[in-house]
Amino acid sequence: KGAANSVFFAAEDVLTRTEATRLDEGRLWAGGRLLVWTPKQKGDRVEFKIPIESAGKKQINVAMAMTPQSGEVSFLLDGKPLPLGNRSESADLYRPYRTLLRRVALMPGELSEGDHTLTIELRDKSDGVSNAEIGIDFIWVQNR
């Protein structure tokens, strides 16, 4: 029921550029694959083209890996900051001892029909993490 009225996109299918990305395999991930983005420094970004079939109030959700190599990320939609559903500016994906898959719910809003650009930006990496790895499993858009 939590995914009613939703459209799902595998992250690798809506990625706009493939540099600094790879696909990892594992049973935890949708379709057995996880898109892993390896930003080099704070402020680096990765973009996804999200097609919206009909205008209306929508909520974008991103299923992301939480790992010992993860960092803190923020989101933009069409170049404008998009806070999380809980009004936070960023999501900390770092988990020191395990790997988890979690939904990051973004703030619902009105979207027009057509393509929109969802951007994920590295805000910080945790102490002891030399190269952040941000895992993006899938994106889903839900009618609200």
Side-chain angles (χ1 to χ4, degrees):
K1 295 194 181 217
N5 300 315
S6 297
V7 178
F8 293 82
F9 305 97
E12 61 270 21
D13 292 343
V14 291
L15 181 67
T16 62
R17 294 185 325 265
T18 60
E19 58 267 2
T21 65
R22 70 174 191 271
L23 288 175
D24 283 357
E25 294 185 4
R27 294 182 302 158
L28 185 60
W29 319 121
R33 295 183 310 200
L34 175 72
L35 177 70
V36 179
W37 169 50
T38 53
K40 300 290 183 229
Q41 60 190 1
K42 293 179 191 178
D44 282 359
R45 295 177 172 185
V46 64
E47 293 182 346
F48 302 88
K49 191 66 71 180
I50 309 298
I52 301 297
E53 292 185 11
S54 62
K57 189 168 186 179
K58 315 279 185 188
Q59 181 171 28
I60 298 173
N61 302 278
V62 186
M64 303 189 78
M66 301 177 90
T67 73
Q69 288 300 115
S70 294
E72 182 181 347
V73 297
S74 59
F75 300 84
L76 298 99
L77 185 64
D78 298 327
K80 296 177 184 162
L82 180 61
L84 279 59
N86 64 6
R87 302 200 187 281
S88 295
E89 292 182 7
S90 63
D92 186 0
L93 303 173
Y94 175 74
R95 293 298 177 271
Y97 302 111
R98 60 180 145 179
T99 297
L100 305 167
L101 176 64
R102 288 292 182 262
R103 171 183 81 134
V104 177
L106 303 176
M107 184 65 68
E110 293 292 326
L111 290 180
S112 60
E113 181 179 331
D115 289 341
H116 293 270
T117 301
L118 177 68
T119 304
I120 300 175
E121 178 179 79
L122 180 67
R123 289 189 59 148
D124 205 356
K125 54 185 177 180
S126 297
D127 292 338
V129 174
S130 56
N131 295 315
E133 295 184 351
I134 307 300
I136 306 113
D137 195 9
F138 59 91
I139 299 165
W140 85 91
V141 180
Q142 187 172 30
N143 291 323
R144 300 305 269 167

CSV table of all heavy atoms in Angstrom, one decimal, residues 46-88:
chain,number,residue,atom,x,y,z
A,46,VAL,N,25.4,14.1,-9.3
A,46,VAL,CA,25.0,13.1,-10.3
A,46,VAL,C,23.5,13.4,-10.6
A,46,VAL,O,22.8,13.8,-9.7
A,46,VAL,CB,25.2,11.6,-9.8
A,46,VAL,CG1,24.3,11.3,-8.6
A,46,VAL,CG2,24.9,10.6,-10.9
A,47,GLU,N,23.1,13.2,-11.9
A,47,GLU,CA,21.8,13.6,-12.3
A,47,GLU,C,21.0,12.5,-12.9
A,47,GLU,O,21.5,11.6,-13.6
A,47,GLU,CB,21.8,14.7,-13.4
A,47,GLU,CG,22.4,16.0,-12.8
A,47,GLU,CD,22.4,17.1,-13.8
A,47,GLU,OE1,22.3,16.9,-15.0
A,47,GLU,OE2,22.6,18.3,-13.4
A,48,PHE,N,19.6,12.6,-12.7
A,48,PHE,CA,18.7,11.6,-13.3
A,48,PHE,C,17.6,12.3,-14.0
A,48,PHE,O,17.1,13.3,-13.4
A,48,PHE,CB,18.1,10.7,-12.1
A,48,PHE,CG,19.2,10.0,-11.3
A,48,PHE,CD1,19.8,10.6,-10.2
A,48,PHE,CD2,19.6,8.7,-11.7
A,48,PHE,CE1,20.8,10.0,-9.5
A,48,PHE,CE2,20.6,8.1,-11.0
A,48,PHE,CZ,21.2,8.7,-9.9
A,49,LYS,N,17.2,11.8,-15.1
A,49,LYS,CA,16.1,12.4,-15.9
A,49,LYS,C,14.8,11.6,-15.5
A,49,LYS,O,14.7,10.5,-15.9
A,49,LYS,CB,16.4,12.4,-17.4
A,49,LYS,CG,15.5,13.2,-18.2
A,49,LYS,CD,15.6,14.7,-18.0
A,49,LYS,CE,16.9,15.2,-18.6
A,49,LYS,NZ,17.0,16.6,-18.4
A,50,ILE,N,13.9,12.3,-14.9
A,50,ILE,CA,12.6,11.7,-14.4
A,50,ILE,C,11.5,12.1,-15.3
A,50,ILE,O,11.1,13.3,-15.3
A,50,ILE,CB,12.3,12.0,-13.0
A,50,ILE,CG1,13.6,11.8,-12.1
A,50,ILE,CG2,11.1,11.3,-12.5
A,50,ILE,CD1,14.1,10.4,-12.0
A,51,PRO,N,10.9,11.2,-16.1
A,51,PRO,CA,9.7,11.6,-16.9
A,51,PRO,C,8.4,11.6,-16.1
A,51,PRO,O,8.2,10.6,-15.4
A,51,PRO,CB,9.7,10.5,-18.0
A,51,PRO,CG,10.4,9.3,-17.4
A,51,PRO,CD,11.3,9.8,-16.4
A,52,ILE,N,7.7,12.6,-16.2
A,52,ILE,CA,6.4,12.7,-15.5
A,52,ILE,C,5.3,12.7,-16.6
A,52,ILE,O,5.3,13.6,-17.5
A,52,ILE,CB,6.3,14.0,-14.7
A,52,ILE,CG1,7.4,14.0,-13.6
A,52,ILE,CG2,5.0,14.2,-14.0
A,52,ILE,CD1,7.4,12.9,-12.6
A,53,GLU,N,4.4,11.7,-16.5
A,53,GLU,CA,3.4,11.6,-17.6
A,53,GLU,C,2.2,12.5,-17.4
A,53,GLU,O,1.6,12.9,-18.4
A,53,GLU,CB,2.9,10.1,-17.6
A,53,GLU,CG,4.0,9.1,-18.0
A,53,GLU,CD,3.5,7.7,-18.2
A,53,GLU,OE1,2.2,7.5,-18.1
A,53,GLU,OE2,4.3,6.8,-18.3
A,54,SER,N,1.9,12.9,-16.2
A,54,SER,CA,0.8,13.8,-16.0
A,54,SER,C,1.1,14.8,-14.9
A,54,SER,O,1.6,14.4,-13.9
A,54,SER,CB,-0.5,13.0,-15.7
A,54,SER,OG,-0.4,12.3,-14.5
A,55,ALA,N,0.7,16.0,-15.0
A,55,ALA,CA,0.9,17.0,-14.0
A,55,ALA,C,0.1,16.7,-12.8
A,55,ALA,O,-0.9,16.1,-12.8
A,55,ALA,CB,0.5,18.4,-14.6
A,56,GLY,N,0.6,17.2,-11.6
A,56,GLY,CA,-0.1,17.1,-10.4
A,56,GLY,C,0.9,17.0,-9.2
A,56,GLY,O,2.1,17.2,-9.4
A,57,LYS,N,0.3,16.8,-8.0
A,57,LYS,CA,1.2,16.8,-6.8
A,57,LYS,C,1.8,15.4,-6.8
A,57,LYS,O,1.1,14.4,-6.8
A,57,LYS,CB,0.3,17.0,-5.6
A,57,LYS,CG,1.2,17.2,-4.3
A,57,LYS,CD,0.4,17.7,-3.2
A,57,LYS,CE,1.3,17.9,-2.0
A,57,LYS,NZ,0.6,18.5,-0.9
A,58,LYS,N,3.1,15.4,-6.6
A,58,LYS,CA,3.9,14.2,-6.6
A,58,LYS,C,4.9,14.2,-5.5
A,58,LYS,O,5.3,15.2,-5.0
A,58,LYS,CB,4.7,14.0,-7.9
A,58,LYS,CG,4.0,14.3,-9.2
A,58,LYS,CD,3.2,13.2,-9.7
A,58,LYS,CE,2.5,13.6,-11.0
A,58,LYS,NZ,1.6,12.6,-11.5
A,59,GLN,N,5.3,13.0,-5.1
A,59,GLN,CA,6.4,12.8,-4.1
A,59,GLN,C,7.4,11.9,-4.8
A,59,GLN,O,7.1,10.8,-5.3
A,59,GLN,CB,5.9,12.2,-2.8
A,59,GLN,CG,7.1,12.1,-1.8
A,59,GLN,CD,6.7,11.7,-0.5
A,59,GLN,OE1,5.7,11.0,-0.3
A,59,GLN,NE2,7.4,12.1,0.5
A,60,ILE,N,8.7,12.4,-4.8
A,60,ILE,CA,9.8,11.6,-5.3
A,60,ILE,C,10.4,10.9,-4.1
A,60,ILE,O,10.7,11.5,-3.1
A,60,ILE,CB,10.8,12.5,-6.1
A,60,ILE,CG1,10.1,13.1,-7.3
A,60,ILE,CG2,12.0,11.6,-6.5
A,60,ILE,CD1,11.0,14.2,-8.0
A,61,ASN,N,10.7,9.6,-4.3
A,61,ASN,CA,11.3,8.8,-3.3
A,61,ASN,C,12.6,8.2,-4.0
A,61,ASN,O,12.5,7.8,-5.1
A,61,ASN,CB,10.4,7.6,-2.8
A,61,ASN,CG,9.1,8.2,-2.3
A,61,ASN,OD1,9.0,8.6,-1.1
A,61,ASN,ND2,8.1,8.2,-3.1
A,62,VAL,N,13.6,8.0,-3.2
A,62,VAL,CA,14.9,7.4,-3.7
A,62,VAL,C,15.3,6.3,-2.8
A,62,VAL,O,15.4,6.5,-1.6
A,62,VAL,CB,16.0,8.5,-3.8
A,62,VAL,CG1,17.2,7.8,-4.5
A,62,VAL,CG2,15.5,9.7,-4.6
A,63,ALA,N,15.4,5.1,-3.3
A,63,ALA,CA,15.9,4.0,-2.5
A,63,ALA,C,17.4,4.0,-2.5
A,63,ALA,O,18.0,3.9,-3.6
A,63,ALA,CB,15.3,2.7,-3.0
A,64,MET,N,18.0,4.1,-1.4
A,64,MET,CA,19.5,4.3,-1.3
A,64,MET,C,20.2,3.4,-0.4
A,64,MET,O,19.6,3.0,0.6
A,64,MET,CB,19.8,5.8,-0.9
A,64,MET,CG,19.2,6.8,-1.9
A,64,MET,SD,19.7,8.5,-1.6
A,64,MET,CE,21.3,8.4,-2.4
A,65,ALA,N,21.4,3.0,-0.7
A,65,ALA,CA,22.2,2.2,0.2
A,65,ALA,C,22.8,3.0,1.4
A,65,ALA,O,23.2,4.1,1.2
A,65,ALA,CB,23.3,1.5,-0.6
A,66,MET,N,22.7,2.4,2.5
A,66,MET,CA,23.4,3.0,3.7
A,66,MET,C,24.5,2.1,4.1
A,66,MET,O,24.3,0.9,4.4
A,66,MET,CB,22.4,3.2,4.8
A,66,MET,CG,21.2,4.0,4.4
A,66,MET,SD,19.9,4.1,5.7
A,66,MET,CE,20.5,5.6,6.6
A,67,THR,N,25.8,2.5,4.0
A,67,THR,CA,26.9,1.7,4.1
A,67,THR,C,28.1,2.4,4.9
A,67,THR,O,28.0,3.6,5.1
A,67,THR,CB,27.5,1.3,2.7
A,67,THR,OG1,28.1,2.4,2.1
A,67,THR,CG2,26.4,0.8,1.8
A,68,PRO,N,29.1,1.6,5.2
A,68,PRO,CA,30.3,2.2,5.8
A,68,PRO,C,31.1,3.1,4.9
A,68,PRO,O,31.9,3.9,5.4
A,68,PRO,CB,31.1,1.0,6.2
A,68,PRO,CG,30.2,-0.2,6.3
A,68,PRO,CD,29.2,0.1,5.2
A,69,GLN,N,30.8,3.1,3.6
A,69,GLN,CA,31.5,4.0,2.6
A,69,GLN,C,30.6,5.2,2.2
A,69,GLN,O,31.1,6.0,1.4
A,69,GLN,CB,31.9,3.2,1.4
A,69,GLN,CG,33.0,2.3,1.6
A,69,GLN,CD,34.3,3.0,2.1
A,69,GLN,OE1,34.8,2.7,3.2
A,69,GLN,NE2,34.8,3.8,1.3
A,70,SER,N,29.4,5.3,2.7
A,70,SER,CA,28.5,6.3,2.3
A,70,SER,C,28.8,7.6,2.9
A,70,SER,O,29.6,7.7,3.8
A,70,SER,CB,27.0,5.9,2.6
A,70,SER,OG,26.6,4.8,1.9
A,71,GLY,N,28.1,8.7,2.4
A,71,GLY,CA,28.2,10.0,3.0
A,71,GLY,C,26.9,10.7,3.1
A,71,GLY,O,25.9,10.1,3.1
A,72,GLU,N,27.0,12.0,3.2
A,72,GLU,CA,25.8,12.8,3.4
A,72,GLU,C,25.4,13.5,2.0
A,72,GLU,O,26.3,14.0,1.4
A,72,GLU,CB,26.0,13.9,4.4
A,72,GLU,CG,24.8,14.8,4.7
A,72,GLU,CD,25.1,15.9,5.7
A,72,GLU,OE1,26.1,15.8,6.4
A,72,GLU,OE2,24.3,16.8,5.8
A,73,VAL,N,24.2,13.4,1.6
A,73,VAL,CA,23.8,13.9,0.3
A,73,VAL,C,22.6,14.9,0.5
A,73,VAL,O,21.8,14.8,1.4
A,73,VAL,CB,23.4,12.8,-0.7
A,73,VAL,CG1,24.6,11.9,-1.0
A,73,VAL,CG2,22.2,12.0,-0.2
A,74,SER,N,22.4,15.7,-0.5
A,74,SER,CA,21.3,16.6,-0.6
A,74,SER,C,20.7,16.4,-2.0
A,74,SER,O,21.3,15.8,-2.9
A,74,SER,CB,21.6,18.1,-0.3
A,74,SER,OG,22.6,18.5,-1.2
A,75,PHE,N,19.5,17.0,-2.2
A,75,PHE,CA,18.8,16.8,-3.5
A,75,PHE,C,18.4,18.1,-4.1
A,75,PHE,O,18.1,19.0,-3.4
A,75,PHE,CB,17.6,15.9,-3.2
A,75,PHE,CG,17.9,14.5,-2.7
A,75,PHE,CD1,18.1,14.4,-1.3
A,75,PHE,CD2,18.0,13.4,-3.5
A,75,PHE,CE1,18.4,13.1,-0.8
A,75,PHE,CE2,18.4,12.2,-3.0
A,75,PHE,CZ,18.5,12.0,-1.6
A,76,LEU,N,18.3,18.1,-5.4
A,76,LEU,CA,17.8,19.3,-6.2
A,76,LEU,C,16.8,18.7,-7.2
A,76,LEU,O,17.1,17.6,-7.8
A,76,LEU,CB,18.9,20.0,-6.8
A,76,LEU,CG,20.0,20.7,-5.9
A,76,LEU,CD1,21.2,19.8,-5.9
A,76,LEU,CD2,20.3,22.0,-6.4
A,77,LEU,N,15.8,19.5,-7.5
A,77,LEU,CA,14.9,19.2,-8.6
A,77,LEU,C,14.9,20.3,-9.5
A,77,LEU,O,14.6,21.5,-9.1
A,77,LEU,CB,13.5,18.9,-8.0
A,77,LEU,CG,12.5,18.4,-9.1
A,77,LEU,CD1,12.9,17.1,-9.7
A,77,LEU,CD2,11.1,18.3,-8.5
A,78,ASP,N,15.3,20.1,-10.8
A,78,ASP,CA,15.3,21.1,-11.8
A,78,ASP,C,16.2,22.3,-11.3
A,78,ASP,O,15.9,23.4,-11.5
A,78,ASP,CB,13.9,21.6,-12.2
A,78,ASP,CG,13.1,20.4,-12.8
A,78,ASP,OD1,13.8,19.5,-13.5
A,78,ASP,OD2,11.9,20.4,-12.7
A,79,GLY,N,17.3,22.0,-10.6
A,79,GLY,CA,18.2,23.0,-10.2
A,79,GLY,C,17.9,23.7,-8.9
A,79,GLY,O,18.7,24.5,-8.4
A,80,LYS,N,16.8,23.4,-8.3
A,80,LYS,CA,16.4,24.0,-7.0
A,80,LYS,C,16.4,23.0,-5.9
A,80,LYS,O,16.0,21.9,-6.0
A,80,LYS,CB,15.0,24.6,-7.1
A,80,LYS,CG,14.8,25.7,-8.2
A,80,LYS,CD,13.4,26.1,-8.3
A,80,LYS,CE,13.3,27.2,-9.5
A,80,LYS,NZ,12.0,27.3,-9.9
A,81,PRO,N,16.9,23.5,-4.7
A,81,PRO,CA,17.0,22.5,-3.6
A,81,PRO,C,15.7,21.9,-3.3
A,81,PRO,O,14.6,22.6,-3.3
A,81,PRO,CB,17.5,23.4,-2.4
A,81,PRO,CG,18.2,24.6,-3.1
A,81,PRO,CD,17.4,24.8,-4.4
A,82,LEU,N,15.7,20.6,-3.0
A,82,LEU,CA,14.5,19.8,-2.7
A,82,LEU,C,14.7,19.2,-1.3
A,82,LEU,O,15.5,18.2,-1.2
A,82,LEU,CB,14.2,18.8,-3.8
A,82,LEU,CG,12.9,17.9,-3.5
A,82,LEU,CD1,11.7,18.8,-3.5
A,82,LEU,CD2,12.8,16.9,-4.6
A,83,PRO,N,14.1,19.7,-0.3
A,83,PRO,CA,14.3,19.1,1.1
A,83,PRO,C,13.6,17.7,1.2
A,83,PRO,O,12.8,17.3,0.3
A,83,PRO,CB,13.6,20.1,2.0
A,83,PRO,CG,12.6,20.9,1.2
A,83,PRO,CD,13.2,20.8,-0.2
A,84,LEU,N,14.0,17.0,2.2
A,84,LEU,CA,13.4,15.7,2.5
A,84,LEU,C,12.0,16.0,3.0
A,84,LEU,O,11.6,17.1,3.4
A,84,LEU,CB,14.2,15.0,3.5
A,84,LEU,CG,15.5,14.2,3.0
A,84,LEU,CD1,16.5,15.1,2.4
A,84,LEU,CD2,16.1,13.5,4.1
A,85,GLY,N,11.2,14.9,3.0
A,85,GLY,CA,9.8,15.0,3.5
A,85,GLY,C,9.7,15.5,4.9
A,85,GLY,O,8.7,16.0,5.3
A,86,ASN,N,10.8,15.2,5.7
A,86,ASN,CA,10.8,15.7,7.1
A,86,ASN,C,11.4,17.1,7.2
A,86,ASN,O,11.7,17.5,8.3
A,86,ASN,CB,11.5,14.7,8.0
A,86,ASN,CG,13.0,14.6,7.6
A,86,ASN,OD1,13.5,15.4,6.8
A,86,ASN,ND2,13.7,13.7,8.3
A,87,ARG,N,11.6,17.8,6.1
A,87,ARG,CA,12.1,19.1,6.0
A,87,ARG,C,13.6,19.3,6.2
A,87,ARG,O,14.1,20.3,6.2
A,87,ARG,CB,11.3,20.1,6.9
A,87,ARG,CG,9.8,20.1,6.6
A,87,ARG,CD,9.2,21.4,7.1
A,87,ARG,NE,7.7,21.3,7.0
A,87,ARG,CZ,7.1,21.6,5.8
A,87,ARG,NH1,7.7,21.8,4.7
A,87,ARG,NH2,5.7,21.5,5.8
A,88,SER,N,14.3,18.1,6.4
A,88,SER,CA,15.8,18.2,6.5
A,88,SER,C,16.3,18.6,5.2
A,88,SER,O,15.7,18.3,4.1
A,88,SER,CB,16.3,16.8,6.9
A,88,SER,OG,15.9,16.5,8.2
